[in-house]
Amino acid sequence: MEKIRRESFDKDKLEILKERYLKKSSETKNKIAKENFKLMYYFISILEETGIRYGELRQLETKNIIEDNGKTLLKLEKSKTSKRTVLIPIQASYLITKINNNQKYLFERSDGVIPNFTQVFKTDKDSNKKYFENLNIFNKTIYCIRHTFINQKIKEGKDLYQIAIHCGTSLKMIEEWYDDMIVNSDYNNIYDDKKVDLLDQLADSMILDFTQTKKYHPEKIIDDKDNDDFDF
């Protein structure tokens, strides 16, 4: 199978996109559209901060948001691979508190429906094609945000094995699908046998802390329509 390049967003384009949906949520008069755009803003922002899968975040139950000694953990039970618990940075934790949703699912609207964020994005792009083409993001999908996260962590020199554990994938898949980013980063992809053995032993219980020091500027469940045939 021919390898398909992992598309990602430029950070400035993501900021424009987030600002767009925040603005649309305040300007639209339709109640459902207003909620969709508001939740879309938070959805994109949390995906950017955590790198978890579209479906994992969309179907995240509020009961699985766990506070533990000042840190926030997400228990991901709707994973495409296996259930896992991940530690999220303070920025993502702050965003979750701002959603202020007391319903079963974090991204559930007041009418009990979880928006199809893929469709919200597609409809917006189709209705404003020239705008998105000018930004050079018309062909991108919400799922590209996950790849943006992984590319950024590789660029920062984070341990590839830890990135894989956090994102619920394998080291092999990270090395195979993000080899161009690895080659062009300062990351030294060399493991000694002792370190690999230790990481293998810790894999099942490891929770990766991706907390950053950067400053933060403040329906019923259906399968998402993103093309994740090549997801990992």
Side-chain angles (χ1 to χ4, degrees):
M1 180 178 65
E2 181 181 357
K3 184 164 70 173
I4 298 176
R5 183 175 179 270
R6 297 288 181 178
E7 292 287 341
S8 62
F9 281 94
D10 292 333
K11 183 173 179 55
D12 61 331
K13 302 296 175 60
L14 267 182
E15 290 301 318
I16 291 173
L17 202 58
K18 289 187 292 185
E19 290 175 9
R20 174 179 178 81
Y21 290 117
L22 202 57
K23 183 178 180 182
K24 286 171 76 71
S25 72
S26 65
E27 293 179 346
T28 186
K29 303 300 182 183
N30 181 279
K31 181 181 178 181
I32 290 179
K34 182 182 288 290
E35 283 193 73
N36 281 348
F37 293 138
K38 177 183 177 181
L39 291 174
M40 183 72 155
Y41 163 76
Y42 286 114
F43 193 80
I44 290 173
S45 300
I46 295 172
L47 279 180
E48 180 187 17
E49 293 292 342
T50 65
I52 62 180
R53 290 184 177 88
Y54 174 101
E56 292 174 336
L57 182 58
R58 183 173 177 269
Q59 299 185 41
L60 178 66
E61 296 187 38
T62 52
K63 70 176 184 179
N64 289 330
I65 302 170
I66 304 164
E67 296 298 328
D68 183 22
N69 293 322
K71 296 184 178 181
T72 304
L73 307 172
L74 302 184
K75 186 178 179 182
L76 304 176
E77 296 185 331
K78 301 294 183 180
S79 177
K80 186 172 182 176
T81 52
S82 60
K83 298 179 182 180
R84 69 188 189 284
T85 299
V86 297
L87 177 65
I88 63 173
I90 190 171
Q91 297 93 330
S93 180
Y94 171 79
L95 288 163
I96 287 174
T97 63
K98 296 296 287 183
I99 296 176
N100 192 28
N101 190 340
N102 295 319
Q103 304 204 80
K104 180 177 180 180
Y105 295 93
L106 179 63
F107 287 95
E108 190 173 343
R109 290 195 313 245
S110 59
D111 62 358
V113 173
I114 301 177
N116 182 338
F117 296 107
T118 298
Q119 189 60 49
V120 172
F121 189 43
K122 184 180 186 304
T123 299
D124 191 17
K125 289 192 298 179
D126 290 343
S127 301
N128 302 278
K129 186 173 182 179
K130 194 66 177 177
Y131 172 85
F132 284 93
E133 285 182 337
N134 287 339
L135 285 176
N136 197 29
I137 61 173
F138 182 79
N139 293 323
K140 296 189 187 300
T141 68
I142 297 297
Y143 214 94
C144 294
I145 301 173
R146 173 174 164 87
H147 308 315
T148 303
F149 174 89
I150 295 175
N151 282 336
Q152 180 60 35
K153 293 308 168 185
I154 293 173
K155 185 177 179 181
E156 291 173 3
K158 301 297 185 183
D159 187 286
L160 297 187
Y161 194 93
Q162 293 189 37
I163 295 174
I165 293 296
H166 175 85
C167 292
T169 187
S170 68
L171 176 59
K172 178 180 179 182
M173 293 301 290
I174 293 289
E175 291 177 328
E176 179 179 352
W177 292 97
Y178 295 89
D179 56 345
D180 55 338
M181 178 58 65
I182 295 170
V183 168
N184 292 303
S185 72
D186 294 330
Y187 181 77
N188 180 13
N189 188 23
I190 302 291
Y191 291 92
D192 59 51
D193 293 338
K194 183 177 180 181
K195 182 175 183 180
V196 171
D197 289 341
L198 177 60
L199 289 171
D200 284 337
Q201 293 171 21
L202 296 176
D204 290 337
S205 59
M206 176 183 281
I207 297 174
L208 177 58
D209 186 350
F210 271 144
T211 301
Q212 299 296 308
T213 57
K214 64 182 181 181
K215 185 177 180 181
Y216 173 69
H217 299 285
E219 116 196 302
K220 297 297 178 186
I221 294 180
I222 58 177
D223 290 337
D224 66 85
K225 304 300 182 182
D226 254 330
N227 179 7
D228 57 358
D229 291 341
F230 300 101
D231 179 33
F232 53 88

